[in-house]
Amino acid sequence: MSNSIIHDRYLVYMDKFERRTKRAQDLMHERQIQTMILLPGVNMYYLTGFLEEPMERPLFAVFGVDRDPFFIAPAFYEEQIKESTWIKDIRLWQETQDPYNLFDSIKEGEGKVALDDRLWAMFSIPIQRIFKSREFVLASLVSRDLRMRKSSEEIDLMRRAGQIADHALESILDEVKAGATEGALAAMLEYQMRSKGAEKPSFESIVASGPNSSMPHKRASDKRLKKGENVVFDFGCVYNGYCSDTTRTIFVGKPTDEMKKIYNIVLEAHELAFRAVKPGAKAKDVDLAAREYITSQGYGPHFTHRTGHGVGLDVHEEPYITRENDQQLEEGMTFSVVPGIYLPGKFGVRIEDIVAVTSSGATRLNKFTKEIVVV
């Protein structure tokens, strides 16, 4: 590939982040936000192209409603930031300097200051002292509307993340058997996702068998699988920054009649919720489609969580699919559909897909079978 083609692709890539920043500034103006300060993480990446984990050293991307953004960063990040972002103004500090002095040029004014929702207290307290009497708000007032509706490019990345996760689970099915430990299966699953192109897991993989599966977020342990038990796999991966999140319930040996009954109720609830997804519907319509069916079957008290959550650069983001959420669904929104039934001390069943709202309904971004799987 020629250097000119590579350069042209780079310019298109960088233009995407610059256009997103202009949309963010429009929202800042609308919401009377003068300054927005982001910590390393997905919001910073979405607007700048620079991706890093937050650490103890102050590193911020600072956006003004009517001025170009700039970075405040430790000096040793200079090269890394320059190769990753379209932003040219990088204000560097050495270990012997006070990085907060680099805010001096913008500390005057009257508009609101939006802080990254996940800005650590060790950073937010000094910033609040600098801006003194200003009103502080959450940066999600801007980022929520920017990130909730995904482009076709973003959805394609999420679909690829879903495919990787699907294939990873298929790859370890022969290892799902009596005597295997939950922890070993989780490690195999994460290895397979990485080996198939994932950057990392979306979150710590859940592998919960038998009585452990009645706890929705029970982490993988050293418990060994037993014949006649079910196993809940709740896992996902990150591909080019975007997350997948899949849950399947698999049976080690023939399931009992009660297990099959619960599984089929959850599967029907899942399908009813999926069919409720369409532009103009409300998030709560999707939740209630699943919840009311499970309740009608006598298991309402055993469906203990929301029906879904948004997925994108974060594995949990807007919109949240709850019975109270009046948010209207729009084309490009992506979220999980994940009903479950949990019988304490016995077992639990959960089935989860990620869906994208389309012009006519919804499409699934992961495809692993939802038929009963017995190993």
Side-chain angles (χ1 to χ4, degrees), residues 18-290:
E18 188 171 3
R19 283 186 281 108
R20 288 174 176 176
T21 293
K22 289 177 180 176
R23 295 207 311 272
Q25 289 173 317
D26 288 341
L27 287 170
M28 290 171 66
H29 183 268
E30 178 184 313
R31 288 154 199 190
Q32 298 179 321
I33 296 170
Q34 185 181 54
T35 301
M36 181 169 66
I37 301 170
L38 301 180
L39 190 71
V42 294
N43 284 330
M44 182 183 286
Y45 171 71
Y46 187 82
L47 295 180
T48 72
F50 177 67
L51 183 61
E52 181 58 278
E53 297 293 327
M55 296 185 184
E56 76 280 2
R57 294 180 176 90
L59 196 169
F60 310 115
V62 184
F63 299 83
V65 68
D66 55 4
R67 62 173 181 273
D68 291 337
F70 62 89
F71 275 92
I72 292 175
F76 63 83
Y77 272 106
E78 181 177 12
E79 184 178 6
Q80 189 176 339
I81 294 173
K82 282 182 175 178
E83 75 168 11
S84 302
T85 183
W86 63 277
I87 295 172
K88 304 303 181 186
D89 187 354
I90 305 171
R91 304 179 185 186
L92 303 171
W93 58 273
Q94 302 289 343
E95 295 284 355
T96 56
Q97 296 175 308
D98 182 355
Y100 295 97
N101 289 336
L102 297 174
F103 283 107
D104 282 353
S105 64
I106 63 164
K107 65 183 181 181
E108 303 301 330
E110 297 180 353
K112 300 171 188 174
V113 177
L115 300 181
D116 197 302
D117 293 31
R118 299 175 185 176
L119 192 67
W120 297 349
M122 65 186 290
F123 302 138
S124 63
I125 290 173
I127 288 172
Q128 289 174 36
R129 288 172 179 158
I130 290 167
F131 289 94
K132 295 182 180 176
S133 60
R134 303 275 282 282
E135 180 182 353
F136 290 89
V137 297
L138 295 176
S140 54
L141 283 174
V142 176
S143 64
R144 177 181 183 274
D145 287 346
L146 287 175
R147 290 174 43 200
M148 191 160 42
R149 286 165 292 278
K150 310 298 190 293
S151 67
S152 59
E153 176 190 5
E154 291 175 289
I155 291 172
D156 285 343
L157 294 174
M158 292 178 63
R159 183 176 288 109
R160 179 58 184 144
Q163 290 170 346
I164 291 171
D166 285 345
H167 294 157
L169 183 56
E170 290 169 1
S171 297
I172 71 163
L173 282 180
D174 288 344
E175 304 299 329
V176 183
K177 54 191 174 184
T181 67
E182 295 171 349
L185 291 172
M188 292 178 199
L189 195 56
E190 294 184 1
Y191 170 79
Q192 287 294 332
M193 288 190 290
R194 285 180 177 270
S195 70
K196 296 178 190 307
E199 297 162 25
K200 59 182 179 179
S202 305
F203 53 93
E204 184 181 343
S205 300
I206 294 171
V207 179
S209 60
N212 284 350
S213 67
S214 71
M215 296 174 274
H217 279 185
K218 176 71 173 176
R219 301 298 176 182
S221 70
D222 60 0
K223 179 187 176 300
R224 294 187 181 277
L225 278 58
K226 297 177 182 177
K227 196 169 183 62
E229 289 185 333
N230 68 307
V231 191
V232 171
F233 289 89
D234 187 344
F235 63 102
C237 67
V238 178
Y239 179 77
N240 277 19
Y242 285 82
C243 298
S244 67
D245 190 357
T246 300
T247 304
R248 291 295 186 267
T249 302
I250 292 173
F251 297 91
V252 182
K254 184 179 178 181
T256 66
D257 289 344
E258 183 181 35
M259 287 176 171
K260 287 190 288 185
K261 176 185 176 182
I262 297 297
Y263 188 94
N264 287 325
I265 291 172
V266 172
L267 179 58
E268 180 63 16
H270 178 97
E271 293 300 318
L272 289 168
F274 175 76
R275 292 199 290 271
V277 177
K278 57 186 176 182
K282 295 180 179 179
K284 68 180 183 182
D285 297 336
V286 181
D287 181 277
L288 290 172

